[in-house]
Amino acid sequence: MSTRTELPITPVGIAACCSPLTAGVIDDASAAQLARVFKALGDPTRVRLISLIAAAEGAEACICELTDPVGLSQPTVSHHMRLLVQAGLVTREQRGKWAYYRLVGQTFNALREAVTVGIDVV
Amino acid sequence: MSTRTELPITPVGIAACCSPLTAGVIDDASAAQLARVFKALGDPTRVRLISLIAAAEGAEACICELTDPVGLSQPTVSHHMRLLVQAGLVTREQRGKWAYYRLVGQTFNALREAVTVGIDVV
């Protein structure tokens, strides 16, 4: 039996916004939510972990496949993964001994909208 | 006379990558560069400042227009703006008494590519 655990603490309300970052002045709550997601990505190891999951077969990665490539212990990688799950960027599924991770497309789509600049910039 | 000052410390090498975050395993240098830009955005005030500049007339904002909306002192806003400039997200131009800021479209485009998920995710 498989169960989804550690669902994002932050509901993915971020995805309800359209271009919140550059299509008008953002409200405080949306700014806080968006900043939280960006902050979760503001670490080289977490950027690499996201990239590893995206590149994994079926776009799903076991914690057991993530430790070696980033050269960190499993508890440290689990800590990073927990932050990514809490930010709504990744889901975690426990299957037997191992936790498996997937990217949350909805959150990445929302981020994509957020950083889409539809204006005449430098 | 107007001069561009405080150009990004980080050359916008980030823009040279294609979908670095989700289109294969990212290298260490790109991960660090990308994480640095995400980290600069990982603060609600800085998210609001970016949004204010994007929404300003001509997509350019004077420091004098940014302090009131975020409710912070000019030195504090200048500090946040410096971090955004250093991350390559914003350019700063001093004109007389005031500094004027613009978004760097190249960096936002690169971020957009980075968070574009072209895979079958949740």
Side-chain angles (χ1 to χ4, degrees):
Chain A
M1 193 182 117
S2 78
T3 51
R4 293 267 176 194
T5 54
E6 287 194 27
L7 283 175
I9 290 173
T10 310
V12 195
I14 186 183
C17 308
C18 297
S19 308
L21 188 50
T22 56
V25 179
I26 196 170
D27 65 77
D28 285 0
S30 300
Q33 195 159 28
L34 203 46
R36 188 181 178 188
V37 180
F38 284 130
K39 193 173 180 181
L41 290 170
D43 176 277
T45 297
R46 292 197 288 278
V47 166
R48 296 198 66 216
L49 288 168
I50 292 283
S51 173
L52 285 162
I53 297 168
E57 197 181 328
E60 179 183 75
C62 169
I63 184 84
C64 59
E65 300 170 295
L66 296 172
T67 50
D68 272 4
V70 296
L72 295 170
S73 69
Q74 194 177 311
T76 303
V77 173
S78 289
H79 166 73
H80 283 300
M81 291 311 303
R82 196 172 306 121
L83 295 179
L84 291 172
V85 170
Q86 287 174 350
L89 287 157
V90 163
T91 58
R92 176 187 190 277
E93 187 177 0
Q94 185 78 33
R95 293 208 296 268
K97 183 181 174 186
W98 302 112
Y100 290 79
Y101 298 95
R102 283 183 171 278
L103 306 189
V104 179
Q106 200 181 9
T107 303
F108 281 89
N109 288 344
L111 281 182
R112 185 166 182 268
E113 287 299 307
V115 299
T116 296
V117 180
I119 50 177
D120 183 26
V121 291
V122 176
Chain B
M1 194 181 119
S2 77
T3 52
R4 294 267 175 193
T5 55
E6 288 192 27
L7 283 175
I9 290 173
T10 311
V12 194
I14 185 183
C17 308
C18 297
S19 307
L21 188 51
T22 55
V25 179
I26 195 170
D27 64 77
D28 285 0
S30 299
Q33 195 160 27
L34 203 46
R36 188 180 177 189
V37 180
F38 283 131
K39 193 173 180 182
L41 289 171
D43 176 278
T45 298
R46 292 197 287 280
V47 166
R48 296 197 66 214
L49 289 168
I50 292 284
S51 172
L52 286 163
I53 298 168
E57 197 180 329
E60 179 184 74
C62 169
I63 183 83
C64 58
E65 301 169 295
L66 296 172
T67 51
D68 273 3
V70 294
L72 294 169
S73 70
Q74 195 177 309
T76 303
V77 173
S78 289
H79 166 74
H80 284 299
M81 291 310 304
R82 197 172 305 120
L83 295 178
L84 292 172
V85 169
Q86 287 174 350
L89 287 158
V90 163
T91 58
R92 176 188 189 276
E93 186 178 0
Q94 185 78 32
R95 293 207 296 269
K97 183 181 173 186
W98 303 112
Y100 291 79
Y101 299 95
R102 284 183 171 279
L103 305 189
V104 179
Q106 200 181 8
T107 304
F108 281 89
N109 288 344
L111 281 182
R112 185 167 180 267
E113 287 301 307
V115 299
T116 295
V117 180
I119 50 177
D120 184 26
V121 291
V122 176

